[in-house]
Amino acid sequence: MEKTGIYDKLQGKMFSSEINNAVKLHLKERGYFVDNLWHLNDVSDRFECTDDQAYKVLSKVLESDYIMMSIHEAICQVAQDEFNLKFKNDV
């Protein structure tokens, strides 16, 4: 996994929790949903593995066709049923 170096640039200027919150806020302000993030610990707390293995497990699961399809279907259902939103091509 390639590192950006952002954390190193900010270290000493901010606490690590402040860095994490600043990065999340930066992404949220640009339209990304960041309220549900997964961490390597979600795997490594349950399995004996390296960080690289934990990352690969998360990647394989979260990028799987099943999960992606389930998320898109849930977005459609909640948008229509709970918010009464219409598809753009139905307007």
Side-chain angles (χ1 to χ4, degrees), residues 12-43:
K13 298 176 184 171
M14 304 170 83
F15 293 110
S16 61
S17 61
E18 292 175 315
I19 295 170
N20 293 343
N21 290 335
V23 170
K24 284 173 65 174
L25 180 59
H26 173 78
L27 291 170
K28 192 171 191 172
E29 288 172 343
R30 280 147 188 81
Y32 292 93
F33 183 83
V34 296
D35 296 345
N36 182 0
L37 297 177
W38 292 83
H39 193 276
L40 299 180
N41 290 353
D42 294 312
V43 177

Side-chain angles (χ1 to χ4, degrees), residues 69-86:
M69 189 183 318
S70 296
I71 290 170
H72 285 286
E73 287 176 2
I75 288 171
C76 290
Q77 185 173 1
V78 169
Q80 291 176 308
D81 297 348
E82 295 184 28
F83 292 91
N84 200 30
L85 300 179
K86 306 289 182 209

Side-chain angles (χ1 to χ4, degrees), residues 53-81:
Q53 289 171 318
Y55 191 88
K56 287 177 181 176
V57 167
L58 287 175
S59 178
K60 186 158 189 133
V61 170
L62 296 173
E63 294 175 0
S64 72
D65 289 339
Y66 172 76
I67 295 298
M68 298 300 278
M69 189 183 318
S70 296
I71 290 170
H72 285 286
E73 287 176 2
I75 288 171
C76 290
Q77 185 173 1
V78 169
Q80 291 176 308
D81 297 348

